[in-house]
Amino acid sequence: MNKNICKVPFGFIEINQGGGVYTCCSAYIKNGCIGNIFNQPFNEIFNSDKAKMIRRNCLNDDYSMCFNHLCSPNKDAFSFLLDSIYVGEIEYSEEIKYPKIIKFSYDLDCNVNCKSCREKIYRNSKEYIEELDEKARKYFLPILKYTDKVCLIGSGDPFASKHTRNFIKMIVDEYPNIKFDLHTNGLLLNERMLTELNIIDKLSYVQISIHASTKETYDKIVLGGGWDTLIKNLEFVSNLKKQNKVENIFLFFVVSKINLGDAKEFVNLSKKYSAECFFWNLRDWGTQYTKNEMPNEYEIYKVFKDDIFGDKIVHLNPYLHNIRNNENFLEDYFVNEINELKDKINCYENKLGKLNCNVGKIVDSLAWWIPIRKWRDGFRSKFLI
């Protein structure tokens, strides 16, 4: 068995807002939808022709369907979730018995505005909560009989959303032994919330999006957040891990111009709270932040060349990894910069040449009125180089 085979399509399913089903994050795979949960039986979807084709490609070491600058086999957080003690053995075949993890990414409700994600805080209306609750009962709850773990909820915050809290309660009532992977901003990740939802002893992995290592930077990126509350909750979940009530903690960091200086200390923050840290480059989600705050490759290199980013708890996506580890990158980068500079210089030279020609005509016209040739020549020499 090729150890580089990506395990994610063989054990992971993600469902998005429109009911689309994917074998990994929809942003990482080209035209990767394998079916729609609202239109098809789930057991047919996860073994659909498209799903089997994706797995067949992986078995043949063919990742042409993936966006390889964003993800590479077994390097993203999804693959680490599958390393869980609560997950059964991965079946490396085109057709699988069931997915080991089902992730739901359809609920946008969140209590903060992370600038790298959205431009405003989004909250569900009462009517929409009722609609989502009904969909969860009808479409989502029944399919959890096919899985070992449920992952909630990359599109929003599982604790901020009333619907997702309702969904968690439904899951616990129907499947009391199922385990949870939680993806949260951490602000409501406390003992009271976990006890209320009856999942404090049902946790597998806890993933927390932070994007900063200082309050000053955090406040610039996470609008409506609370650094002190977050740190308190980090201490709480870190203690749960020490008590073996949490398998592992992942801290997430999307790199931008604003937080680039925090990246190194973020590794130390992760160590302090017994967590692993994942770094991604900022992508353009259509917000002003994602358009304006992308650092260039050399700015990234100057930070990520540090030895601390070689630590075993650090996980860089392929884009950042290649910048850090590819020495040819610097040469290519500066060659491109020099070529761009040459183009600008040539452009200015052409403009100056045209301008010089026009100035020459004006100077000659003015000099014509100077009666003495010596004075005329002196006048021209002052203005024409």
Side-chain angles (χ1 to χ4, degrees):
M1 180 67 67
N2 184 346
K3 66 179 181 179
N4 290 323
I5 292 175
C6 183
K7 66 180 68 144
V8 176
F10 301 90
F12 181 89
I13 288 294
E14 181 168 8
I15 300 174
N16 68 15
Q17 191 176 16
V21 182
Y22 294 80
T23 57
C24 68
C25 176
S26 60
Y28 291 169
I29 190 166
K30 305 166 188 174
N31 301 314
C33 184
I34 62 171
N36 191 291
I37 192 66
F38 300 141
N39 302 326
Q40 302 161 263
F42 186 61
N43 61 338
E44 294 179 8
I45 294 174
F46 65 74
N47 278 322
S48 66
D49 290 342
K50 185 69 167 287
K52 288 189 282 190
M53 181 271 290
I54 291 171
R55 297 186 192 114
R56 182 167 60 250
N57 284 359
C58 292
L59 290 169
N60 292 324
D61 200 26
D62 176 5
Y63 296 97
S64 57
M65 71 283 190
C66 302
F67 291 105
N68 294 293
H69 64 294
L70 297 176
C71 186
S72 58
N74 298 322
K75 296 297 183 183
D76 195 77
F78 299 146
S79 64
F80 291 91
L81 299 181
L82 286 164
D83 291 334
S84 168
I85 59 174
Y86 302 114
V87 164
E89 184 177 355
I90 301 292
E91 311 160 64
Y92 287 98
S93 59
E94 290 183 18
E95 188 168 318
I96 61 175
K97 293 177 183 176
Y98 67 91
K100 313 301 181 184
I101 298 173
I102 299 176
K103 180 177 181 180
F104 296 95
S105 293
Y106 63 86
D107 186 358
L108 301 177
D109 198 325
C110 192
N111 52 337
V112 298
N113 171 18
C114 259
K115 284 183 159 184
S116 59
C117 174
R118 59 188 71 192
E119 289 192 313
K120 63 181 181 180
I121 293 177
Y122 181 88
R123 304 312 303 259
N124 291 330
S125 66
K126 179 181 177 181
E127 293 74 21
Y128 192 50
I129 292 170
E130 292 173 354
E131 179 183 333
L132 290 180
D133 284 355
E134 181 57 31
K135 284 182 177 179
R137 277 188 289 266
K138 183 176 180 179
Y139 297 102
F140 304 146
L141 195 60
I143 69 173
L144 294 182
K145 66 184 178 183
Y146 292 106
T147 195
D148 296 330
K149 292 200 296 182
V150 59
C151 183
L152 300 166
I153 190 168
S155 52
D157 189 87
F159 303 125
S161 168
K162 183 177 180 181
H163 158 68
T164 300
R165 295 197 306 271
N166 291 343
F167 186 29
I168 290 172
K169 291 175 183 177
M170 294 180 206
I171 296 170
V172 171
D173 287 343
E174 186 75 17
Y175 306 97
N177 296 320
I178 204 166
K179 298 296 181 180
F180 289 83
D181 293 329
L182 300 173
H183 187 173
T184 172
N185 57 45
L187 294 173
L188 296 171
L189 179 62
N190 54 50
E191 184 174 11
R192 178 181 176 183
M193 177 64 73
L194 296 179
T195 302
E196 178 186 326
L197 296 174
N198 194 21
I199 58 172
I200 199 164
D201 60 345
K202 305 178 189 299
L203 302 178
S204 178
Y205 288 75
V206 175
Q207 307 161 84
I208 307 172
S209 295
I210 301 179
H211 315 308
S213 57
T214 62
K215 182 181 186 304
E216 180 182 8
T217 303
Y218 176 84
D219 288 343
K220 292 177 182 177
I221 297 174
V222 184
L223 306 185
W227 180 256
D228 293 338
T229 298
L230 173 62
I231 294 300
K232 181 179 178 181
N233 292 345
L234 273 178
E235 292 174 354
F236 164 69
V237 76
S238 179
N239 285 330
L240 287 183
K241 183 181 177 184
K242 292 174 183 176
Q243 298 166 29
N244 295 317
K245 293 182 178 180
V246 168
E247 261 194 283
N248 211 343
I249 304 165
F250 296 164
L251 302 187
F252 292 162
F253 189 108
V254 175
V255 177
S256 67
K257 289 180 181 178
I258 289 177
N259 65 9
L260 193 54
D262 275 29
K264 181 177 177 180
E265 187 55 33
F266 192 74
V267 179
N268 292 323
L269 182 78
S270 301
K271 289 180 179 180
K272 180 177 180 180
Y273 294 108
S274 304
E276 305 206 21
C277 51
F278 289 76
F279 292 89
W280 288 277
N281 58 298
L282 182 65
R283 287 179 286 153
D284 188 354
W285 295 109
T287 67
Q288 285 301 116
Y289 181 87
T290 58
K291 289 179 183 295
N292 299 334
E293 299 301 332
M294 290 189 186
N296 66 42
E297 291 180 342
Y298 184 57
E299 290 172 324
I300 292 172
Y301 174 79
K302 286 191 294 184
V303 172
F304 281 87
K305 68 179 181 178
D306 194 286
D307 289 344
I308 197 170
F309 295 101
D311 195 287
K312 64 180 181 180
I313 71 161
V314 176
H315 309 277
L316 307 179
N317 82 335
Y319 177 82
L320 299 174
H321 180 272
N322 290 340
I323 290 175
R324 169 178 159 75
N325 293 284
N326 182 6
E327 293 182 358
N328 295 328
F329 146 75
L330 282 178
E331 181 179 348
D332 294 341
Y333 176 81
F334 284 115
V335 166
N336 290 335
E337 288 291 297
I338 290 169
N339 286 336
E340 287 185 16
L341 186 59
K342 283 181 179 177
D343 290 340
K344 289 178 182 178
I345 290 172
N346 290 334
C347 178
Y348 286 128
E349 281 182 344
N350 291 334
K351 289 181 179 179
L352 286 171
K354 292 177 182 179
L355 182 62
N356 231 6
C357 178
N358 295 333
V359 170
K361 289 181 180 179
I362 295 170
V363 170
D364 280 341
S365 297
L366 293 173
W368 186 83
W369 295 97
I370 299 175
I372 299 174
R373 180 176 180 178
K374 179 180 178 181
W375 292 355
R376 284 198 300 271
D377 291 342
F379 176 81
R380 288 191 181 97
S381 68
K382 287 181 180 179
F383 290 94
L384 299 179
I385 299 174

